[in-house]
Amino acid sequence: MSGRSRGVLLVLCGAIFLEGVDVAMLNVALPSIRAELGLSTGALQWVMSAYVLGYGGFMLLGGRAADLFGRRRMFLLPLAVFLVFSGLGGLAGDGWTLVLARFVTGTCAAFLMPAGLSVITTGFPAGRQRTTALLVYSGTGGGGFSVGLIVGGLLTAADWRWVFFAPVVLAALILAAGLPLIPRTEEARGTEEVRTDGTPAAGTAAGRRPRLDLPGAVTVTAAILLFVLTVERATHAPPVQTLATLAASLVLLLAFVLIEHRSPAPLVRPGIFRTRSLVRANLTGLLFTAGFFGFQFIAVLYLRELRGWSTLRTSFAMLAMGADVVLAPLLTPRLVRRFGTARVILGGLLLAAVAYAAFLPLGMDRAYVAMFPSLLLIGVAFALVHGPLTMTATDGVAEREQGLAAGLLYTSLQFGAALGLSAATAVATAVAGAATAPGDAGLLTAYRTALLVPLLTAVLAVLLSPRERRRRRRLRPLTPPKPALCGPAAPDGRGE
């Protein structure tokens, strides 16, 4: 790998590290934000939900925009906007300014992440270099989240506004390095209109201006926004409101499917879903992240509310889950080269299921030594699953649709996180409300029951995980050897 390639990878890893740190630090700072700004529980929920809405809602549009308008442009421009609005969040004097800042930064991440991933899948040669780059990239994202838990606790202890100002500094450094390093791509490369089978539509040429499927972009973005909103609000919104937003989301999704089938330049080519590895990778990613975020949420509540641990102590306790930041670039590439991506993913999913099951017997005085193996195994599982899933989801996809494939994967991961959090919260709330045991005993039962959610999602992910491709051997027709006309027979049995 050349020096410039290493520099490009460092910039891309910096961006995904920034995204992980940003999310983790905010989670730690929420209680301090509520205390200073006087936010209600509903307003505080919107500070979190706004980022998820922007991230999940615009991911598909961001992925396709990278293909159409250039990956360099769709990486650097959202990074600059992210920098500005993260600073605005640090200056916020009321809750709604903070909500607006989080929504815009989430939207920027929706454009930034697919562009960064597609730079790797199109700019690094297939084989060992690309495999290593993808695994280092995905491992850095998980490491950013783990580091963010610690750094967020330290910064919040000084002033919660530093949780927003610190990403400004990091984003500025990444932007300064990215301007000279991120390569320029052919902006018109993805401008050919394609049919649903992937072939160029009649009368199109690679030199035409990029065309964005605007009706499709509007309908799918609105559908995803409403669906994410439904999931985020499901545990604390009236049932009628939940059903109404879900129905509206499904109607818009149906409209999007009809638009894509008729569009000469679809935002999401329907034929891309014929790639089985992509579909399996997306479903597995959704289920895996649902379990990962659901588990983390319940584990933090258990340590903070039942055990009375401080924010910083809880952050250090969860640091074992950051083992992926070391294992992803060092161990995972060797395992992938030896066993293949599908087997490594399956091994990681099985480890996750074992870890969730081992954490189930919670108690009011359970020692951290007994919890540590589960937390460490989950970190190992993340290292084995996340990077190889990224490789599988983009493998076999045409270069002009790499941004779209990345957008689909990140959308699935975001949905998984939202679904896992909502499902775990719903189960814990329902069991706690129906508990007959008083106080802490009822909460303990609720948390134990909620931990079944990540366990079940891990088992489902095992069943749906990607499979190794079976290569069909082409048999050459058997033909009788020709008689030698002159000289001895050639090495293949035929005459010269």
Side-chain angles (χ1 to χ4, degrees), residues 178-194:
L179 283 169
L181 285 174
I182 300 296
R184 295 183 182 274
T185 55
E186 300 89 337
E187 306 298 317
R189 190 166 189 166
T191 61
E192 287 188 346
E193 297 176 2
V194 292

Side-chain angles (χ1 to χ4, degrees), residues 134-389:
L134 285 171
L135 294 174
V136 170
Y137 179 75
S138 59
T140 305
F145 192 87
S146 301
V147 171
L149 292 174
I150 304 299
V151 175
L154 295 173
L155 292 178
T156 303
D159 190 334
W160 66 264
R161 295 182 185 276
W162 280 106
V163 166
F164 293 91
F165 293 144
V168 171
V169 177
L170 183 55
L173 293 174
I174 297 168
L175 186 62
L179 283 169
L181 285 174
I182 300 296
R184 295 183 182 274
T185 55
E186 300 89 337
E187 306 298 317
R189 190 166 189 166
T191 61
E192 287 188 346
E193 297 176 2
V194 292
R195 300 189 183 97
T196 56
D197 61 357
T199 58
T204 64
R208 292 185 60 173
R209 286 178 61 84
R211 282 187 57 185
L212 184 64
D213 175 21
L214 201 55
V218 171
T219 51
V220 74
T221 301
I224 293 174
L225 281 170
L226 284 174
F227 187 78
V228 175
L229 178 63
T230 301
V231 172
E232 282 290 299
R233 308 288 291 173
T235 57
H236 46 271
V240 174
Q241 181 182 343
T242 300
L243 291 174
T245 53
L246 178 61
S249 173
L250 294 177
V251 169
L252 286 170
L253 187 60
L254 178 60
F256 170 70
V257 172
L258 295 176
I259 290 170
E260 297 306 279
H261 275 285
R262 297 178 181 179
S263 174
L267 181 71
V268 180
R269 181 175 62 85
I272 198 172
F273 295 107
R274 294 174 189 162
T275 307
R276 292 185 180 180
S277 58
L278 179 144
V279 174
R280 280 184 174 271
N282 277 266
L283 290 174
T284 304
L286 187 150
L287 291 167
F288 180 72
T289 53
F292 181 82
F293 281 92
F295 170 84
Q296 182 179 258
F297 180 68
I298 296 300
V300 168
L301 288 180
Y302 164 72
L303 294 175
R304 291 294 309 278
E305 295 187 353
L306 283 181
R307 303 297 297 274
W309 289 18
S310 66
T311 300
L312 200 57
R313 186 182 180 187
T314 302
S315 298
F316 277 111
M318 302 295 287
L319 191 59
M321 293 174 64
D324 60 291
V325 72
V326 176
L327 297 177
L330 298 180
L331 176 64
T332 311
R334 297 180 182 180
L335 294 177
V336 167
R337 286 194 294 270
R338 182 169 182 178
F339 300 107
T341 54
R343 291 178 181 175
V344 173
I345 291 169
L346 181 60
L349 294 173
L350 289 172
L351 279 182
V354 170
Y356 296 147
F359 202 83
L360 276 174
L362 295 180
M364 294 300 298
D365 56 352
R366 194 179 188 195
Y368 178 69
V369 174
M371 295 183 278
F372 179 79
S374 290
L375 300 173
L376 182 62
L377 281 179
I378 292 169
V380 175
F382 196 94
L384 298 182
V385 173
H386 193 259
L389 266 184

